[in-house]
Amino acid sequence: MPDLKTRWDIFCTVVDNFGDIGVTWRLSRQLVAEHGVAVRLWVDDLRAFERLCPEIDTQAGRQWQQGVEVCHWSAEWQPVEAADVVIAAFACQLPGAYMDAMALRDKTPLWMNLDYLSAEDWVIGCHGLPSVKYKHVQKHFFFPGFHKGTGGLLRESGLLERRRQFQQSPEAQRTFLAGLGVDRAPGALLISLFAYENAGLASWLDTLASDSTPTHLLVPQGRILGDVERWLNVQGLQAGALHVRDALTVQVLPFVRQDQYDPLLWCCDFNAVRGEDSFVRAQWAGRPLLWHIYQQEEDVHLDKLEAFLALYVKDLPAAAGEAISGLWRAWNAGETMTDHWQLTRKHWPQLQKHAESWCLEQASHTDLAAALVQFYVNWI
């Protein structure tokens, strides 16, 4: 393993509010805490970062947070010495002066592009391959993934044991939810909703409201809130707002900082999540989930959706697999959710059991931070 003198630079441009910074912040902390390396995290948007980590000083050019040196990546780049390992997150373009600094080092750094998460088969063949060169500095592809032969998923040491203990303690769950102002109604299905704008939401809320089982829907502040307002026929929903319509209770939560998001997912019976970071965290929760994938041009995101679904449902009975797949497809197409949700509920016990077994299967693979460190060890 690398020694404490190994220095890593991770570059992050905030493209979609919180996804990019969510992944890189989580990765940076784990590399420091579990692998003893020095990490400098370069971020171009500290205000978005502040939502995940309120301690961030948005005016500081350089600061330390949880063992990570956080640097503002400003348009006016000031030359610095390049690190031993350089990660460009999600194909962001490094400053030209920094690339020159990489080329000037006596010992060439390991330069990697940490790519987006995908279950597509081609990822296995491309993971770890050389990419472009800058002068004599070679860049490598590094792909997170669900298959062995990829970079794995972000998973901190002991995460699943902490989750198990929390989910086995009703008191711990009550205390956590009370801290968010949530008093879970007895017998209610608890659902978290974190999503992009979605035309299919109204039909889903209609279905939940008319259900024989009560539902308590927790909605952290975010982009889906406008659709919730339209369904409720209210304006200006703020954290703490609570509305009841028939069997459905809708409660707005404050935007949840990163270290509170895991226990929120762990408390819920079902989690609707979006993007990449929350998608992975929902899988570690071991509960049925619904993924709103980030939309891309020419609908290429749908190939990623189908690739994951094919992998996720392969060990499910056919009817249960078709039910959850239909729900995901309808949600990502903004279509009516009623029939798909009712069918999903019909197979609920199978889906609950499968969510836990899928979680354990993925946890048997090397986690992303450890895979990155091992790649560096093999490279040197």
Side-chain angles (χ1 to χ4, degrees):
M1 288 296 173
D3 60 35
L4 291 171
K5 296 178 182 177
T6 306
R7 296 177 299 115
W8 293 49
D9 272 342
I10 301 177
F11 287 83
C12 172
T13 54
V14 180
V15 177
D16 176 40
N17 295 322
F18 311 111
D20 305 305
I21 183 57
V23 170
T24 52
W25 172 228
R26 198 181 296 280
L27 172 62
S28 298
R29 285 181 296 162
Q30 188 181 357
L31 285 168
V32 168
E34 297 182 21
H35 299 282
V37 301
V39 176
R40 192 164 50 179
L41 176 59
W42 296 90
V43 185
D44 66 342
D45 184 353
L46 293 178
R47 292 202 174 277
F49 196 171
E50 185 184 24
R51 300 293 298 277
L52 300 178
C53 178
E55 294 81 10
I56 283 289
D57 180 353
T58 59
Q59 302 303 312
R62 177 175 178 265
Q63 61 192 291
W64 291 86
Q65 295 290 345
Q66 299 183 40
V68 177
E69 184 180 358
V70 177
C71 300
H72 182 220
W73 179 2
S74 68
E76 299 171 358
W77 180 260
Q78 299 299 316
V80 295
E81 183 181 356
D84 304 301
V85 180
V86 180
I87 296 177
F90 312 119
C92 66
Q93 181 61 46
L94 301 184
Y98 187 89
M99 295 172 72
D100 288 334
M102 289 197 299
L104 288 171
R105 277 181 51 117
D106 291 336
K107 178 173 172 48
T108 304
L110 172 59
W111 177 23
M112 291 180 282
N113 178 61
L114 178 61
D115 218 306
Y116 290 100
L117 176 63
S118 178
E120 294 168 292
D121 290 338
W122 62 263
V123 166
I124 303 171
C126 293
H127 174 64
L129 291 182
S131 176
V132 299
K133 271 188 176 182
Y134 179 75
K135 298 182 177 178
H136 60 280
V137 185
Q138 177 72 65
K139 182 161 72 169
H140 297 265
F141 291 113
F142 198 96
F143 283 92
F146 304 94
H147 301 87
K148 287 187 176 178
T150 67
L153 304 174
L154 276 172
R155 185 187 76 255
E156 299 83 0
S157 176
L159 176 69
L160 298 195
E161 176 58 23
R162 292 195 298 275
R163 190 260 290 179
R164 185 190 66 80
Q165 293 179 6
F166 183 86
Q167 289 181 335
Q168 289 182 351
S169 171
E171 182 57 35
Q173 294 176 57
R174 277 195 298 270
T175 300
F176 172 78
L177 290 172
L180 294 176
V182 176
D183 182 13
R184 180 177 183 171
L189 193 71
L190 195 63
I191 298 178
S192 74
L193 173 63
F194 183 53
Y196 306 111
E197 299 84 350
N198 197 311
L201 179 66
S203 65
W204 190 20
L205 298 184
D206 286 341
T207 306
L208 295 174
S210 61
D211 201 348
S212 58
T213 300
T215 298
H216 195 151
L217 183 70
L218 305 179
V219 190
Q221 289 175 312
R223 288 170 56 173
I224 194 69
L225 211 53
D227 292 322
V228 176
E229 289 177 345
R230 278 185 284 278
W231 185 80
L232 289 170
N233 196 26
V234 298
Q235 291 184 341
L237 282 178
Q238 298 295 323
L242 191 146
H243 293 263
V244 179
R245 182 179 294 182
D246 300 325
L248 176 61
T249 298
V250 178
Q251 184 167 357
V252 181
L253 303 183
F255 187 91
V256 181
R257 55 181 293 157
Q258 199 173 60
D259 57 8
Q260 288 186 312
Y261 192 56
D262 281 325
L264 173 62
L265 296 172
W266 298 347
C267 283
C268 291
D269 302 296
F270 185 82
N271 293 298
V273 292
R274 72 176 216 202
E276 182 170 321
D277 186 56
S278 59
F279 176 44
V280 171
R281 305 318 284 191
Q283 291 172 64
W284 297 139
R287 297 285 167 79
L289 72 149
L290 175 62
W291 182 30
H292 199 178
I293 190 170
Y294 183 71
Q295 188 171 356
Q296 295 177 282
E297 292 182 4
E298 299 180 2
D299 288 342
V300 296
H301 62 289
L302 297 180
D303 293 333
K304 292 184 178 180
L305 184 76
E306 291 299 329
F308 179 81
L309 278 174
L311 192 63
Y312 186 72
V313 307
K314 66 180 175 64
D315 292 329
L316 269 169
E322 289 169 7
I324 194 69
S325 297
L327 185 75
W328 285 38
R329 292 181 184 121
W331 185 237
N332 281 280
E335 296 174 350
T336 300
M337 297 280 285
T338 303
D339 292 344
H340 297 290
W341 178 249
Q342 291 172 344
L343 199 58
T344 295
R345 290 289 285 153
K346 182 179 177 182
H347 297 281
W348 202 250
Q350 292 170 315
L351 293 170
Q352 287 177 305
K353 183 179 179 180
H354 176 68
E356 179 64 23
S357 62
W358 169 263
C359 171
L360 296 178
E361 178 189 344
Q362 290 301 312
S364 70
H365 302 166
T366 303
D367 71 86
L368 179 62
L372 281 163
V373 170
Q374 190 59 54
F375 191 84
Y376 172 63
V377 171
N378 294 342
W379 179 80
I380 58 177

